[in-house]
Amino acid sequence: MLRLTLGIAGMTCGHCLNAVKKALAELPGVQVDSVRMGRAEVQFDSALMNADRIIAAIDAAGYVAVAL
């Protein structure tokens, strides 16, 4: 499992936290370690997922993510 820390812009409330958690949890091979305002930490199986797809899923949920 690889670790990835993400900076996430646009999160302002509990709904935002839940939306990001849900978007990450739906990805195959991704384990969500933590989601806080403006930041998420995950682990992922590189055979099933990659950082670009994880970032794209957060972007599709309405936020802007970058790998830190």
Side-chain angles (χ1 to χ4, degrees):
M1 296 287 268
L2 300 175
R3 293 186 181 272
L4 177 63
T5 301
L6 300 159
I8 305 171
M11 296 173 69
T12 60
C13 64
H15 171 76
C16 298
L17 289 172
N18 290 333
V20 170
K21 283 180 191 177
K22 182 177 184 237
L24 292 170
E26 292 176 348
L27 297 172
V30 174
Q31 174 185 320
V32 180
D33 290 337
S34 69
V35 177
R36 301 184 306 263
M37 287 296 175
R39 188 178 182 105
E41 295 179 14
V42 300
Q43 294 181 52
F44 65 97
D45 181 344
S46 61
L48 301 172
M49 188 56 53
N50 63 48
D52 290 338
R53 289 176 57 198
I54 294 170
I55 290 169
I58 295 172
D59 291 350
Y63 306 93
V64 178
V66 295
L68 298 178

